[in-house]
Amino acid sequence: MSRLKIDFTFLMLCFLFSMKLMAWGERGHHVICEVATRLVENEELAQFLRGRGHQSGHVCNIPDIQWKDIPVANALLDSSHYMNPETLGYTIGDVPLDLEQIATAKSKTKEQVALELGSLWWRADQFYQRAVEGVRLAKGAEFPDKNHLKDIAHPYNQGIFEFIVNVSLLGHYVGDASMPYHNTIDYDGWEKGRGGIHAYYESFSVEAMGLDLQNLVYEQSIALKKKSGSLKVNLNQTVLEKLKELSIKAVEEKIKVEELDPLLTASDKVSKTYAKRLPPEKGAELFKDLILGQMARSSFALSVLWEKAWTEGGAVSFKGYRSYRYPLAPELVLPNYLKK
């Protein structure tokens, strides 16, 4: 195969992936959620989650795979994966946490704000609240008797199932928040001659990393956990505060990504000619520390939010859960935070 043909194939892949806005790609999202199942501190919750790492990793990808193929999928759903603060004259650190406040200040509806600004933080909060409600449902029910151990309609079984599904869906958006190009209007680098950087950084470079990726993210997460102070401090942060914190850090690191970008030829915005780069294996080498740090921040933050949701819902016991129900294709959840 000629070099010209290789370049053309790679550029086409970059185009397809960048259009989908799949932060971290399937591998990265799976790693973030599976690592989070090993970071929770409460022993009962930790024991429950440890055996569901693969399940959580699968569900963590649902918003970028199964839900993308549903006809109702639209710009409003797409905008729930990112923040574009510049469109409304903000920096990421200045964006208020109250959608109503933003809408009033900018003389827009909340739906218009979501479409222009993005609604990543509020989408994450939606799944957090759903997880809390799942715990409350299970907490208010008796353990299933021997005749209802696998009854999916039993309130206890349903509540536990809703908890694991929604904390894993939450994990997708927590992952999105740590990816630099999901926090800026220049989401694919075209303004700086780096067209195609989105997919090259979040997907191709991650896919080119070794099989030890998960363990490396876990080690970094443990290091973050030791630095973070008491669990009580972390649990006191709201979901919106935690997501904003991840986004701010991601934007701070965007310049480092661009400094390390192995660019061969700049992109051209007018002709829509993508930038040419060294193969993803080089990107994996150059970006390794940044990617590991960003994924680790998401995994650690996610573990804190999982424990917070379980605690807020009433810290239900999992000892009665015997269901083997597996969320292969969770039903699409539409945004609920845009209502008046």
Side-chain angles (χ1 to χ4, degrees), residues 20-34 36 56-68 77-78 80-82 120-121 123-125 127-128 164-179 182 198 202 243 246 298-299 302 305-306:
K20 287 185 178 182
L21 290 175
M22 295 172 64
W24 299 126
E26 291 177 37
R27 186 185 188 195
H29 275 300
H30 190 111
V31 166
I32 287 168
C33 274
E34 185 152 15
S56 184
H58 164 73
V59 177
C60 195
N61 271 300
I62 289 296
D64 272 347
I65 48 177
Q66 184 221 346
W67 287 359
K68 292 282 187 177
L77 280 172
D78 285 343
S80 70
H81 291 260
Y82 60 76
L120 169 58
W121 302 344
R123 183 66 159 161
D125 189 57
F127 288 108
Y128 173 85
I164 186 62
V165 170
N166 284 289
V167 292
S168 300
L169 290 168
L170 165 63
H172 180 90
Y173 299 93
V174 172
D176 281 350
S178 69
M179 198 290 209
H182 273 249
H198 195 124
E202 71 170 24
L243 268 285
L246 289 171
S298 277
S299 289
L302 186 56
L305 293 177
W306 285 355

Side-chain angles (χ1 to χ4, degrees), residues 77-137:
L77 280 172
D78 285 343
S79 71
S80 70
H81 291 260
Y82 60 76
M83 296 294 291
N84 286 344
E86 303 94 330
T87 58
L88 294 184
Y90 292 116
T91 65
I92 196 70
D94 292 335
V95 179
L97 297 179
D98 186 335
L99 264 178
E100 190 72 52
Q101 178 185 342
I102 299 171
T104 300
K106 302 298 180 180
S107 300
K108 297 178 182 291
T109 65
K110 286 196 285 188
E111 183 169 318
Q112 288 173 326
V113 170
L115 286 170
E116 296 178 39
L117 175 71
S119 65
L120 169 58
W121 302 344
W122 297 277
R123 183 66 159 161
D125 189 57
Q126 178 182 6
F127 288 108
Y128 173 85
Q129 299 300 335
R130 287 172 62 88
V132 171
E133 288 306 311
V135 178
R136 286 178 178 155
L137 176 61

